[in-house]
Structure formats: C-alpha cells, structure tokens
Amino acid sequence: MHPPPSRLELLEIVAEFLRKDLLPKLEGATAFHTLVAANVLDIVRRELALTPDAEAAERQRLERLLDTTGPLETLNDALCLAIREGRIGPDTPGLWDHLWATTLDTLAVDQPGYAAYRLEAARTINPQEGSA
C-alpha cells in the first residue's frame, strides 16, 4: 500500500495537469487564466514548503538585531520603528544581512526563476563560486 500524496505533491500534480494536459487545448483568455492558475498553485506549493523555515530564520535574525523576542509581525514592526527613530541604521551589524536574506527568501517563493535571484542563490549555496 502506498501512502497518499502530500499536499505539496497534490499541488504539483494539479499544476502539471493544467500546464501539460489542459493548456495546450485552450486558447485566448481561457489559456491565459489556466496558466495563471497553475502559477498560483506553484506559489502556494513553494509557500507551504519554504515559508516555515524562512520565517523561523527571519525571527531569529530579528531577535538578534533587536535583542528581544516576540511574534514575527511584532518584531518586524519593532524593526521598522527602530529604523524610523534612528536607533538602527545602515551601520548596524547584521541589518543588511537580515534584509538581504529576507529578500532572497521572499524571491524563493514569489519569483524563483528570476535571473538575479538564481545567481545570488547559487552564490549563497556555493560561496566559492561568487569570489574571484
């Protein structure tokens, strides 16, 4: 007996069906909307797969930057306030790394095919390749 497919696998299966089986048979607005639906399923799949770890890492970075704990939304609000009030700025150790990591995590969900993201993700995974 085989285990049932996971939520991530189900989303992938449906997106693949829309792209490979249904889309070639459609035209015009219906084809476009089918492609959009498949893309939405891909985004949801990546959100389910990547967001928990990304949010945990973001929360840890914020806790180090702010020297406090709390829910992610509260920590982000506190970071914005600290920046606005000038308590944290461009010279604050860890700020740029945090902002860059958060940006890359967001792109991994929203636009993993974006060329600049792919290049930076490859550098992050293989740092030797990024240096000359």
Side-chain angles (χ1 to χ4, degrees):
M1 183 171 221
H2 296 283
S6 70
R7 294 177 298 166
L8 298 177
E9 290 168 330
L10 290 171
L11 290 167
E12 186 175 7
I13 289 165
V14 173
E16 186 176 325
F17 164 76
L18 291 175
R19 277 195 189 89
K20 292 184 178 178
D21 296 339
L22 191 57
L23 190 59
K25 299 173 184 172
L26 302 174
E27 295 178 358
T30 305
F32 172 76
H33 290 292
T34 301
L35 182 58
V36 169
N39 290 340
V40 167
L41 291 172
D42 289 338
I43 291 170
V44 171
R45 181 178 49 78
R46 289 189 301 269
E47 279 182 356
L48 288 170
L50 302 175
T51 298
D53 288 344
E55 286 183 350
E58 180 181 4
R59 186 169 176 240
Q60 288 177 344
R61 291 190 306 269
L62 285 167
E63 287 175 345
R64 281 194 304 273
L65 272 171
L66 300 167
D67 195 27
T68 189
T69 61
L72 183 58
E73 185 176 348
T74 302
L75 292 169
N76 271 309
D77 290 345
L79 177 63
C80 291
L81 180 62
I83 291 170
R84 195 168 34 252
E85 292 178 347
R87 292 181 282 119
I88 290 181
D91 296 331
T92 301
L95 177 62
W96 289 112
D97 291 338
H98 165 69
L99 296 174
W100 190 241
T102 302
T103 299
L104 291 176
D105 287 344
T106 300
L107 285 171
V109 171
D110 295 342
Q111 293 290 326
Y114 182 58
Y117 165 75
R118 288 194 323 266
L119 177 64
E120 189 59 32
R123 274 193 203 136
T124 303
I125 293 168
N126 300 308
Q128 318 75 313
E129 293 178 14
S131 57

PDB file of all heavy atoms in Angstrom, residues 99-117:
ATOM      1  N   LEU A  99      18.174  41.950   5.879  1.00  0.00           N
ATOM      2  CA  LEU A  99      17.320  42.428   4.783  1.00  0.00           C
ATOM      3  C   LEU A  99      17.556  41.622   3.511  1.00  0.00           C
ATOM      4  O   LEU A  99      16.605  41.277   2.794  1.00  0.00           O
ATOM      5  CB  LEU A  99      17.560  43.921   4.535  1.00  0.00           C
ATOM      6  CG  LEU A  99      17.171  44.852   5.695  1.00  0.00           C
ATOM      7  CD1 LEU A  99      17.603  46.278   5.386  1.00  0.00           C
ATOM      8  CD2 LEU A  99      15.687  44.767   5.996  1.00  0.00           C
ATOM      9  N   TRP A 100      18.814  41.288   3.236  1.00  0.00           N
ATOM     10  CA  TRP A 100      19.144  40.517   2.029  1.00  0.00           C
ATOM     11  C   TRP A 100      18.585  39.101   2.131  1.00  0.00           C
ATOM     12  O   TRP A 100      17.995  38.590   1.184  1.00  0.00           O
ATOM     13  CB  TRP A 100      20.648  40.511   1.799  1.00  0.00           C
ATOM     14  CG  TRP A 100      21.031  39.958   0.460  1.00  0.00           C
ATOM     15  CD1 TRP A 100      21.801  38.869   0.216  1.00  0.00           C
ATOM     16  CD2 TRP A 100      20.654  40.458  -0.822  1.00  0.00           C
ATOM     17  NE1 TRP A 100      21.922  38.662  -1.144  1.00  0.00           N
ATOM     18  CE2 TRP A 100      21.230  39.628  -1.800  1.00  0.00           C
ATOM     19  CE3 TRP A 100      19.887  41.540  -1.236  1.00  0.00           C
ATOM     20  CZ2 TRP A 100      21.055  39.823  -3.161  1.00  0.00           C
ATOM     21  CZ3 TRP A 100      19.717  41.746  -2.598  1.00  0.00           C
ATOM     22  CH2 TRP A 100      20.298  40.894  -3.531  1.00  0.00           C
ATOM     23  N   ALA A 101      18.771  38.458   3.287  1.00  0.00           N
ATOM     24  CA  ALA A 101      18.265  37.095   3.473  1.00  0.00           C
ATOM     25  C   ALA A 101      16.740  37.064   3.361  1.00  0.00           C
ATOM     26  O   ALA A 101      16.175  36.152   2.746  1.00  0.00           O
ATOM     27  CB  ALA A 101      18.708  36.539   4.829  1.00  0.00           C
ATOM     28  N   THR A 102      16.088  38.062   3.919  1.00  0.00           N
ATOM     29  CA  THR A 102      14.622  38.133   3.843  1.00  0.00           C
ATOM     30  C   THR A 102      14.177  38.326   2.397  1.00  0.00           C
ATOM     31  O   THR A 102      13.203  37.710   1.950  1.00  0.00           O
ATOM     32  CB  THR A 102      14.089  39.273   4.739  1.00  0.00           C
ATOM     33  OG1 THR A 102      14.528  39.035   6.084  1.00  0.00           O
ATOM     34  CG2 THR A 102      12.575  39.347   4.709  1.00  0.00           C
ATOM     35  N   THR A 103      14.895  39.148   1.660  1.00  0.00           N
ATOM     36  CA  THR A 103      14.580  39.363   0.240  1.00  0.00           C
ATOM     37  C   THR A 103      14.745  38.069  -0.554  1.00  0.00           C
ATOM     38  O   THR A 103      13.872  37.698  -1.351  1.00  0.00           O
ATOM     39  CB  THR A 103      15.482  40.470  -0.347  1.00  0.00           C
ATOM     40  OG1 THR A 103      15.238  41.681   0.366  1.00  0.00           O
ATOM     41  CG2 THR A 103      15.213  40.674  -1.831  1.00  0.00           C
ATOM     42  N   LEU A 104      15.839  37.360  -0.333  1.00  0.00           N
ATOM     43  CA  LEU A 104      16.065  36.101  -1.047  1.00  0.00           C
ATOM     44  C   LEU A 104      15.007  35.059  -0.697  1.00  0.00           C
ATOM     45  O   LEU A 104      14.538  34.330  -1.577  1.00  0.00           O
ATOM     46  CB  LEU A 104      17.463  35.559  -0.765  1.00  0.00           C
ATOM     47  CG  LEU A 104      18.615  36.362  -1.360  1.00  0.00           C
ATOM     48  CD1 LEU A 104      19.948  35.763  -0.924  1.00  0.00           C
ATOM     49  CD2 LEU A 104      18.512  36.437  -2.871  1.00  0.00           C
ATOM     50  N   ASP A 105      14.620  34.993   0.569  1.00  0.00           N
ATOM     51  CA  ASP A 105      13.574  34.048   0.971  1.00  0.00           C
ATOM     52  C   ASP A 105      12.242  34.384   0.306  1.00  0.00           C
ATOM     53  O   ASP A 105      11.496  33.491  -0.092  1.00  0.00           O
ATOM     54  CB  ASP A 105      13.412  34.035   2.494  1.00  0.00           C
ATOM     55  CG  ASP A 105      14.564  33.341   3.202  1.00  0.00           C
ATOM     56  OD1 ASP A 105      15.334  32.610   2.532  1.00  0.00           O
ATOM     57  OD2 ASP A 105      14.700  33.531   4.426  1.00  0.00           O
ATOM     58  N   THR A 106      11.951  35.655   0.171  1.00  0.00           N
ATOM     59  CA  THR A 106      10.715  36.080  -0.492  1.00  0.00           C
ATOM     60  C   THR A 106      10.753  35.725  -1.974  1.00  0.00           C
ATOM     61  O   THR A 106       9.774  35.203  -2.532  1.00  0.00           O
ATOM     62  CB  THR A 106      10.495  37.593  -0.306  1.00  0.00           C
ATOM     63  OG1 THR A 106      10.407  37.874   1.096  1.00  0.00           O
ATOM     64  CG2 THR A 106       9.222  38.065  -0.992  1.00  0.00           C
ATOM     65  N   LEU A 107      11.880  35.988  -2.618  1.00  0.00           N
ATOM     66  CA  LEU A 107      12.016  35.647  -4.036  1.00  0.00           C
ATOM     67  C   LEU A 107      11.947  34.149  -4.275  1.00  0.00           C
ATOM     68  O   LEU A 107      11.451  33.702  -5.310  1.00  0.00           O
ATOM     69  CB  LEU A 107      13.324  36.202  -4.602  1.00  0.00           C
ATOM     70  CG  LEU A 107      13.350  37.707  -4.847  1.00  0.00           C
ATOM     71  CD1 LEU A 107      14.764  38.160  -5.189  1.00  0.00           C
ATOM     72  CD2 LEU A 107      12.373  38.098  -5.938  1.00  0.00           C
ATOM     73  N   ALA A 108      12.441  33.356  -3.342  1.00  0.00           N
ATOM     74  CA  ALA A 108      12.387  31.898  -3.489  1.00  0.00           C
ATOM     75  C   ALA A 108      10.951  31.411  -3.613  1.00  0.00           C
ATOM     76  O   ALA A 108      10.682  30.428  -4.305  1.00  0.00           O
ATOM     77  CB  ALA A 108      13.064  31.214  -2.301  1.00  0.00           C
ATOM     78  N   VAL A 109      10.028  32.114  -2.992  1.00  0.00           N
ATOM     79  CA  VAL A 109       8.611  31.760  -3.085  1.00  0.00           C
ATOM     80  C   VAL A 109       7.975  32.418  -4.306  1.00  0.00           C
ATOM     81  O   VAL A 109       7.318  31.764  -5.109  1.00  0.00           O
ATOM     82  CB  VAL A 109       7.851  32.172  -1.801  1.00  0.00           C
ATOM     83  CG1 VAL A 109       6.345  32.019  -1.973  1.00  0.00           C
ATOM     84  CG2 VAL A 109       8.343  31.353  -0.609  1.00  0.00           C
ATOM     85  N   ASP A 110       8.168  33.725  -4.440  1.00  0.00           N
ATOM     86  CA  ASP A 110       7.443  34.501  -5.452  1.00  0.00           C
ATOM     87  C   ASP A 110       8.009  34.399  -6.862  1.00  0.00           C
ATOM     88  O   ASP A 110       7.258  34.331  -7.829  1.00  0.00           O
ATOM     89  CB  ASP A 110       7.419  35.983  -5.059  1.00  0.00           C
ATOM     90  CG  ASP A 110       6.644  36.238  -3.788  1.00  0.00           C
ATOM     91  OD1 ASP A 110       5.841  35.369  -3.386  1.00  0.00           O
ATOM     92  OD2 ASP A 110       6.845  37.305  -3.185  1.00  0.00           O
ATOM     93  N   GLN A 111       9.329  34.430  -6.991  1.00  0.00           N
ATOM     94  CA  GLN A 111       9.963  34.503  -8.313  1.00  0.00           C
ATOM     95  C   GLN A 111      11.249  33.688  -8.381  1.00  0.00           C
ATOM     96  O   GLN A 111      12.326  34.231  -8.664  1.00  0.00           O
ATOM     97  CB  GLN A 111      10.298  35.969  -8.646  1.00  0.00           C
ATOM     98  CG  GLN A 111       9.110  36.858  -8.844  1.00  0.00           C
ATOM     99  CD  GLN A 111       8.361  36.526 -10.110  1.00  0.00           C
ATOM    100  OE1 GLN A 111       8.941  36.126 -11.100  1.00  0.00           O
ATOM    101  NE2 GLN A 111       7.057  36.678 -10.075  1.00  0.00           N
ATOM    102  N   PRO A 112      11.199  32.380  -8.143  1.00  0.00           N
ATOM    103  CA  PRO A 112      12.450  31.604  -8.130  1.00  0.00           C
ATOM    104  C   PRO A 112      13.134  31.537  -9.489  1.00  0.00           C
ATOM    105  O   PRO A 112      14.309  31.178  -9.562  1.00  0.00           O
ATOM    106  CB  PRO A 112      12.001  30.219  -7.672  1.00  0.00           C
ATOM    107  CG  PRO A 112      10.561  30.142  -8.073  1.00  0.00           C
ATOM    108  CD  PRO A 112      10.031  31.546  -7.919  1.00  0.00           C
ATOM    109  N   GLY A 113      12.453  31.888 -10.545  1.00  0.00           N
ATOM    110  CA  GLY A 113      13.053  31.877 -11.871  1.00  0.00           C
ATOM    111  C   GLY A 113      13.746  33.183 -12.225  1.00  0.00           C
ATOM    112  O   GLY A 113      14.390  33.291 -13.269  1.00  0.00           O
ATOM    113  N   TYR A 114      13.632  34.197 -11.363  1.00  0.00           N
ATOM    114  CA  TYR A 114      14.240  35.497 -11.590  1.00  0.00           C
ATOM    115  C   TYR A 114      15.757  35.337 -11.667  1.00  0.00           C
ATOM    116  O   TYR A 114      16.387  34.780 -10.776  1.00  0.00           O
ATOM    117  CB  TYR A 114      13.821  36.435 -10.455  1.00  0.00           C
ATOM    118  CG  TYR A 114      14.309  37.845 -10.532  1.00  0.00           C
ATOM    119  CD1 TYR A 114      14.021  38.650 -11.635  1.00  0.00           C
ATOM    120  CD2 TYR A 114      15.034  38.405  -9.496  1.00  0.00           C
ATOM    121  CE1 TYR A 114      14.461  39.960 -11.697  1.00  0.00           C
ATOM    122  CE2 TYR A 114      15.472  39.711  -9.540  1.00  0.00           C
ATOM    123  CZ  TYR A 114      15.187  40.485 -10.640  1.00  0.00           C
ATOM    124  OH  TYR A 114      15.626  41.785 -10.699  1.00  0.00           O
ATOM    125  N   ALA A 115      16.356  35.799 -12.750  1.00  0.00           N
ATOM    126  CA  ALA A 115      17.773  35.533 -13.031  1.00  0.00           C
ATOM    127  C   ALA A 115      18.687  36.015 -11.904  1.00  0.00           C
ATOM    128  O   ALA A 115      19.599  35.288 -11.493  1.00  0.00           O
ATOM    129  CB  ALA A 115      18.171  36.172 -14.353  1.00  0.00           C
ATOM    130  N   ALA A 116      18.466  37.217 -11.399  1.00  0.00           N
ATOM    131  CA  ALA A 116      19.326  37.735 -10.336  1.00  0.00           C
ATOM    132  C   ALA A 116      19.179  36.898  -9.069  1.00  0.00           C
ATOM    133  O   ALA A 116      20.155  36.670  -8.349  1.00  0.00           O
ATOM    134  CB  ALA A 116      18.995  39.193 -10.050  1.00  0.00           C
ATOM    135  N   TYR A 117      17.974  36.412  -8.797  1.00  0.00           N
ATOM    136  CA  TYR A 117      17.775  35.539  -7.633  1.00  0.00           C
ATOM    137  C   TYR A 117      18.554  34.236  -7.816  1.00  0.00           C
ATOM    138  O   TYR A 117      19.231  33.776  -6.900  1.00  0.00           O
ATOM    139  CB  TYR A 117      16.293  35.235  -7.400  1.00  0.00           C
ATOM    140  CG  TYR A 117      16.122  34.073  -6.450  1.00  0.00           C
ATOM    141  CD1 TYR A 117      16.332  34.240  -5.091  1.00  0.00           C
ATOM    142  CD2 TYR A 117      15.824  32.799  -6.923  1.00  0.00           C
ATOM    143  CE1 TYR A 117      16.245  33.172  -4.220  1.00  0.00           C
ATOM    144  CE2 TYR A 117      15.725  31.725  -6.064  1.00  0.00           C
ATOM    145  CZ  TYR A 117      15.934  31.914  -4.711  1.00  0.00           C
ATOM    146  OH  TYR A 117      15.854  30.851  -3.857  1.00  0.00           O
TER     147      TYR A 117
END
